[in-house]
Amino acid sequence: DSGVTQTPKHLITATGQRVTLRCSPRSGDLSVYWYQQSLDQGLQFLIQYYNGEERAKGNILERFSAQQFPDLHSELNLSSLELGDSALYFCASTTGMNYGYTFGSGTRLTVV
Amino acid sequence: GQQVMQIPQYQHVQEGEDFTTYCNSSTTLSNIQWYKQRPGGHPVFLIQLVKSGEVKKQKRLTFQFGEAKKNSSLHITATQTTDVGTYFCAGEGSGGSYIPTFGRGTSLIVHP
């Protein structure tokens, strides 16, 4: 157990639907990072939140949105899902610059 | 934008042989991190290198950061079946964004 909790572990949904992925960072970590991992694109940074505020945006589609709540858990919302959105979605947190990122076990999203 | 290239994409070795993966950035990095992802698992932080020319060792693993802080390598001596997985480098740019760009990873397959 890395200390970063992600739910659900697996999600199967149809095209056009909307899903919410949830992440709780490691205790004491204020930042949450969302990454998408697919076979052809590798690990792609989506978005970062720090203490409730959006800090950085990467290759996140307009159909995707995220937020971080006062208790520091974060949710990634994916809407109007397409087959190409099928991927592993990881959440990560970090204590600071020199400590690396701790990843959760991921949510495997399959869009059918 | 910053690009981090990693080679090779795959490497098959016989147990006991050495293994090296290389990482090259299009821009100067403030630091580089290495992660290991076991099949079906999540990326796990191994180490961070910060200084130009830095070399760090973890048992059979040797990590190097280039003098120009644009390239890095991970060398495993006498591979074991437990080394199987994908090794990622992740470079943080020197512009202060603190968001690492991941390479595509090198998948290591160890044959007993």
Side-chain angles (χ1 to χ4, degrees):
Chain A
D1 181 11
S2 67
V4 177
T5 305
Q6 285 189 253
T7 57
K9 289 194 183 305
H10 302 275
L11 206 47
I12 302 175
T13 190
T15 53
Q17 294 299 304
R18 181 178 190 274
V19 297
T20 297
L21 313 184
R22 183 188 168 104
C23 167
S24 291
R26 203 173 44 174
S27 178
D29 289 352
L30 300 179
S31 278
V32 167
Y33 302 76
W34 285 97
Y35 281 85
Q36 179 192 57
Q37 185 176 41
S38 58
L39 283 174
D40 59 341
Q41 292 292 326
L43 268 166
Q44 295 286 313
F45 167 68
L46 295 177
I47 198 164
Q48 177 207 1
Y49 278 84
Y50 179 85
N51 204 20
E53 293 189 2
E54 182 185 304
R55 268 291 176 91
K57 254 184 176 178
N59 301 319
I60 188 165
L61 300 172
E62 285 192 11
R63 300 183 285 109
F64 296 0
S65 65
Q67 54 185 326
Q68 186 178 29
F69 295 87
D71 67 351
L72 300 178
H73 92 270
S74 177
E75 293 181 356
L76 179 66
N77 301 296
L78 315 177
S79 62
S80 303
L81 284 167
E82 302 174 359
L83 295 177
D85 297 327
S86 296
L88 262 171
Y89 291 84
F90 286 108
C91 164
S93 70
T94 183
T95 300
M97 279 181 60
N98 297 322
Y99 299 94
Y101 293 76
T102 300
F103 283 81
S105 56
T107 294
R108 182 173 293 281
L109 173 66
T110 303
V111 183
V112 297
Chain B
Q2 179 182 308
Q3 291 188 343
V4 175
M5 309 298 292
Q6 196 172 349
I7 58 169
Q9 188 175 357
Y10 299 95
Q11 184 76 59
H12 290 256
V13 299
Q14 289 295 130
E15 190 172 17
E17 292 182 339
D18 293 356
F19 159 78
T20 305
T21 173
Y22 300 90
C23 189
N24 288 286
S25 171
S26 57
T27 59
T28 302
L29 302 170
S30 61
N31 66 72
I32 194 151
Q33 300 169 6
W34 285 92
Y35 293 80
K36 176 183 179 182
Q37 184 175 17
R38 293 183 187 273
H42 58 274
V44 174
F45 174 70
L46 296 177
I47 207 162
Q48 175 169 286
L49 305 173
V50 178
K51 299 176 185 175
S52 169
E54 189 169 15
V55 178
K56 286 189 176 180
K57 293 190 175 185
Q58 288 180 350
K59 297 183 181 178
R60 294 178 295 102
L61 278 61
T62 302
F63 304 84
Q64 292 189 326
F65 201 9
E67 294 289 340
K69 299 184 74 173
K70 295 180 75 172
N71 61 288
S72 181
S73 65
L74 157 60
H75 180 81
I76 302 178
T77 304
T79 55
Q80 300 174 359
T81 54
T82 53
D83 296 325
V84 164
T86 300
Y87 292 85
F88 293 95
C89 62
E92 286 190 8
S94 52
S97 70
Y98 308 130
I99 304 295
T101 300
F102 280 78
R104 290 284 187 95
T106 296
S107 293
L108 172 63
I109 301 101
V110 180
H111 299 279

